[in-house]
Amino acid sequence: MIRKIACALVFTLLLQASSGIAGMTGSEELKASDSKGTTNECFEGFSRAMFSFNQALDATIFEPIAKGYRVLPMVIRNGSSNMMGNISNLLTIPNNILQGDFAGAGNTVARLAINTTVGILGFFDPAEKMGFPNKGKEDYGQTLGVWGTGSGCYFVLPILGPTTVRDFTGTVANLWGDPWYNMTTASDPMMADGM
């Protein structure tokens, strides 16, 4: 049962991500910088190759998925977006605390509780109407930035797109520290074995 729920949520997340990726026109180019910017690009050859790979992947996979997703009724699209946002609160709460934003953590806990119960697992967002606004998502990369860690080198990852060393480190920590990932994938032996 958990495997089916996890697969449905991963598919929904893929649809959400692909609609954003498909918004690219395909005319974007990774240009060589003639002047030094604030971020170092240590892996330029790798980044160029991954950028080209991502462009091809967008054209062949993500754009058709996004076009199919756009056919769904707006209620379904908004509801699935709300559910993914509700799940992301599980990651935002510890990062609010680690950043010392206890008011933000309290707001996020209230949003999670209200939207999970009254909002039917986050499909609806009654917390907004009850005075608990969505203050955005926080992750471990942002927490490292608040703690004073520099951004490091810029590079492009396959599928995930552009990042920095700090944000990539945060992404790895997100996978380890994400309760949703740990409850569904890591604790399910069939999912952990790749079955």
Side-chain angles (χ1 to χ4, degrees), residues 47-71:
S47 293
R48 288 184 180 280
M50 287 304 103
F51 184 82
S52 297
F53 172 77
N54 289 343
Q55 290 285 77
L57 202 61
D58 176 50
T60 57
I61 296 175
F62 292 122
E63 188 173 354
I65 290 173
K67 286 180 180 177
Y69 178 73
R70 289 181 189 137
V71 174

Side-chain angles (χ1 to χ4, degrees), residues 107-187:
N107 182 72
T108 307
V109 167
R111 285 186 56 78
L112 178 65
I114 293 167
N115 288 343
T116 302
T117 55
V118 179
I120 309 171
L121 298 177
F123 193 82
F124 301 103
D125 187 6
E128 186 82 32
K129 294 176 182 136
M130 297 173 79
F132 298 100
N134 185 357
K135 295 189 176 187
K137 299 174 186 167
E138 299 291 333
D139 61 35
Y140 290 104
Q142 292 168 314
T143 299
L144 289 171
V146 168
W147 289 354
T149 305
S151 63
C153 293
Y154 167 88
F155 59 100
V156 179
L157 290 171
I159 301 172
L160 299 176
T163 190
T164 61
V165 172
R166 178 184 69 205
D167 286 338
F168 179 70
T169 304
T171 299
V172 172
N174 290 339
L175 292 176
W176 174 78
D178 185 355
W180 177 252
Y181 173 81
N182 289 320
M183 286 187 310
T184 57
T185 306
S187 64

Side-chain angles (χ1 to χ4, degrees), residues 6-86:
C7 288
L9 287 172
V10 167
F11 182 71
T12 302
L13 178 62
L14 179 63
L15 289 175
Q16 292 290 328
S18 65
S19 64
I21 293 171
M24 296 171 41
T25 63
S27 63
E28 293 86 359
E29 294 180 16
L30 188 62
K31 297 182 174 138
S33 61
D34 294 332
S35 62
K36 286 283 185 188
T38 57
T39 304
N40 297 329
E41 187 166 348
C42 302
F43 312 106
E44 186 173 348
F46 175 80
S47 293
R48 288 184 180 280
M50 287 304 103
F51 184 82
S52 297
F53 172 77
N54 289 343
Q55 290 285 77
L57 202 61
D58 176 50
T60 57
I61 296 175
F62 292 122
E63 188 173 354
I65 290 173
K67 286 180 180 177
Y69 178 73
R70 289 181 189 137
V71 174
L72 294 173
M74 193 58 125
V75 172
I76 301 295
R77 288 189 284 169
N78 287 340
S80 63
S81 177
N82 289 343
M83 288 180 83
M84 297 311 296
N86 193 50

